[in-house]
Amino acid sequence: MTATVSALRGVAPDVAATLPQGLPSARDENWKYANLRALERLSFASPLAPSGAERAATLAHLPPALAHARRVVLLDGLPIDPVPPWSHAVAIDGLRVGAAEPERPADTAIVPADQRFARINRSLTPVALQIELSADAQACVEVVIVSYCAGAQGSSQPQIRVTLQTGAQLTLVQRFVCADTTAAWSNVLTDVRLGANAVCQHYRMQQSGDRAYLHESLNVELDRDAEYRHRSVDTGAGWSRLTASLRLVGSGAAVQWVGVDAVSGTQQHDTSLHVEHIGAATRTQQTFRGIAADRGRLACNGHMVVRESARGAVLAQSLRSLLAGPGCEANLRPQLEIYTDDVRASHGATAGTVDEAMRFYLMSRGLDSEAAGAILKWAFLEDGLSRIELPELRRYAEEVVARRIGLLALHEEMT
């Protein structure tokens, strides 16, 4: 796929004119492991509003609602009426959730590669979902992003803006789903702004159909002593890319990032995390655990930048992958870019296969080779799954992962 305007098939002319460089390509450093040839068959044009039949068919793919959360469903990027069974309305003081005018792109000629999908979203999305939480308020909001339209006909362009005032505490749950038989195409933009002392616990559950295409741009900015805790679980989508940019502007701001990813078949998943430390005494901890099986491809790039103003910064990276098939691939790239001497930093990346000695030990206790391998995969990913603090969401994530690695099927056979 070449980086030309012709690559933007289906994009409105005014949008294509703002991207003279075209889409990113393998020549862009952060995109060398993201095979964009799969997008050549897709259209970026916004789909028509879903019909009543499409809305009704979507209900079968909605996960169970969280008990104490305000639920909002976006179908092909458009908010569905806040009435049951689509929504789960919970009255929460200080919380405002609703449709808003979308943010449009700035008039700039050159758009960096990591921002081009976000640029398309800002140009095409018809409406944004605005989530605002007042100072010192607490809330839980669940946003279910449903893709229905086939990618050859158009793409959904959900845009979500989250603003937390001083001292606010928000649990934000994003769930990505679509019909298993639909080659849906979704280009999501999520902007999060945290005021001083605000806390955002962000859960991202990506279980789209295996034929789906998904790109998400995530931008987070933290003020003084704010804290952003991110938990991602990716098992769905045939092609998926998460491009995240986090800016720790205020002093004492902190980020905890945990990612769990399991691919199989011909799935391709790519995570690119860019964290910029600007304020003094800022902290980042990144943990990634991924398994690639069959011919699946997995990539994770963690790029940490510490500016001169970020004296006393503390950052740690732990990126690990497990190769569970002869044709699979995993690419892990921890990167540190430091411009001050007053910093504590550590990083590491490992890629390996299932421990055959441990497999033999389990087999000596009566398990067959397949069951022993599934248990070892589970133990590897549980290091990340255990960081999910919300009990009902953790149970859901564990069931999804167990099914993906074959552990659930083995358990059902044995019982």
Side-chain angles (χ1 to χ4, degrees):
M1 186 172 186
T2 57
T4 63
V5 175
S6 61
L8 303 177
R9 188 171 75 86
V11 177
D14 58 325
V15 178
T18 67
L19 288 175
Q21 309 95 331
L23 293 178
S25 72
R27 288 174 293 190
D28 295 293
E29 180 64 23
N30 288 345
W31 294 82
K32 62 189 302 182
Y33 298 115
N35 186 353
L36 298 180
R37 285 179 295 179
L39 304 188
E40 292 178 340
R41 305 184 299 273
L42 306 180
S43 169
F44 280 83
S46 298
L48 299 174
S51 65
E54 292 171 338
R55 289 160 59 107
T58 302
L59 285 175
H61 302 285
L62 295 182
L66 299 176
H68 305 291
R70 170 77 176 273
R71 168 176 274 194
V72 180
V73 176
L74 304 182
L75 178 53
D76 282 339
L78 303 176
I80 297 296
D81 296 335
V83 295
W86 295 100
S87 70
H88 182 66
V90 177
I92 302 175
D93 293 337
L95 175 65
R96 294 181 295 278
V97 179
E101 286 295 321
E103 178 183 343
R104 295 305 181 189
D107 186 15
T108 56
I110 298 177
V111 182
D114 284 356
Q115 299 178 20
R116 291 176 195 168
F117 280 93
R119 175 77 172 223
I120 293 173
N121 178 285
R122 291 189 175 100
S123 300
L124 294 181
T125 185
V127 65
L129 175 66
Q130 181 73 43
I131 301 173
E132 297 183 6
L133 193 57
S134 301
D136 300 319
Q138 299 183 24
C140 181
V141 177
E142 179 187 20
V143 180
V144 184
I145 300 172
V146 184
S147 299
Y148 190 94
C149 179
Q153 283 75 50
S155 62
S156 60
Q157 305 285 337
Q159 185 178 124
I160 303 166
R161 298 200 304 266
V162 180
T163 303
L164 273 61
Q165 302 297 334
T166 300
Q169 298 184 35
L170 175 68
T171 297
L172 174 64
V173 180
Q174 279 184 298
R175 306 173 95 155
F176 298 80
V177 298
C178 71
D180 293 339
T181 58
T182 303
W185 165 220
S186 187
N187 178 36
V188 185
L189 172 61
T190 304
D191 285 323
V192 181
R193 298 291 179 268
L194 305 184
N197 295 291
V199 177
C200 180
Q201 182 78 56
H202 186 181
Y203 296 101
R204 178 181 169 274
M205 303 285 113
Q206 195 278 103
Q207 285 80 49
S208 300
D210 286 347
R211 297 184 61 202
Y213 303 87
L214 171 66
H215 180 275
E216 183 182 4
S217 301
L218 172 63
N219 303 312
V220 183
E221 186 170 300
L222 293 83
D223 204 340
R224 173 180 53 83
D225 294 322
E227 186 172 359
Y228 175 74
R229 307 172 193 151
H230 182 98
R231 308 289 187 264
S232 279
V233 178
D234 285 83
T235 60
W239 184 94
S240 173
R241 161 82 179 203
L242 171 60
T243 305
S245 176
L246 281 61
R247 302 179 72 245
L248 286 71
V249 178
S251 61
V255 168
Q256 294 180 11
W257 183 285
V258 178
V260 174
D261 206 328
V263 297
S264 59
T266 59
Q267 287 181 297
Q268 298 181 38
H269 287 184
D270 189 2
T271 299
S272 178
L273 174 64
H274 177 85
V275 181
E276 186 176 9
H277 291 251
I278 301 173
T282 47
R283 307 181 306 280
T284 295
Q285 183 179 44
Q286 181 190 7
T287 302
F288 176 82
R289 300 291 181 265
I291 291 182
D294 303 323
R295 290 185 293 139
R297 296 180 58 186
L298 194 65
C300 180
N301 177 29
H303 185 195
M304 309 289 182
V305 180
V306 182
R307 300 299 180 190
E308 293 181 354
S309 56
R311 295 177 300 276
V314 179
L315 51 155
Q317 286 179 299
S318 174
L319 313 181
R320 298 180 183 176
S321 64
L322 193 65
L323 302 175
C328 59
E329 181 180 332
N331 298 284
L332 307 180
R333 292 186 297 158
Q335 296 177 273
L336 300 181
E337 189 176 338
I338 300 173
Y339 297 95
T340 178
D341 293 333
D342 185 9
V343 63
R344 287 187 293 162
S346 64
H347 67 94
T350 61
T353 58
V354 173
D355 189 329
E356 292 303 324
M358 289 299 299
R359 188 201 295 267
F360 178 78
Y361 173 81
L362 293 175
M363 292 174 63
S364 70
R365 295 301 185 267
L367 297 177
D368 60 27
S369 177
E370 185 179 1
I375 290 175
L376 291 174
K377 293 176 187 178
W378 173 262
F380 179 81
L381 294 178
E382 179 63 15
D383 184 28
L385 293 172
S386 63
R387 316 287 183 91
I388 300 176
E389 291 88 352
L390 207 58
E392 56 185 313
L393 198 61
R394 178 177 173 177
R395 288 192 296 270
Y396 172 82
E398 288 178 337
E399 181 178 338
V400 168
V401 170
R403 181 177 293 108
R404 172 61 66 180
I405 65 176
L407 184 61
L408 192 61
L410 290 169
H411 173 73
E412 292 172 348
E413 289 179 5
M414 294 173 64
T415 55

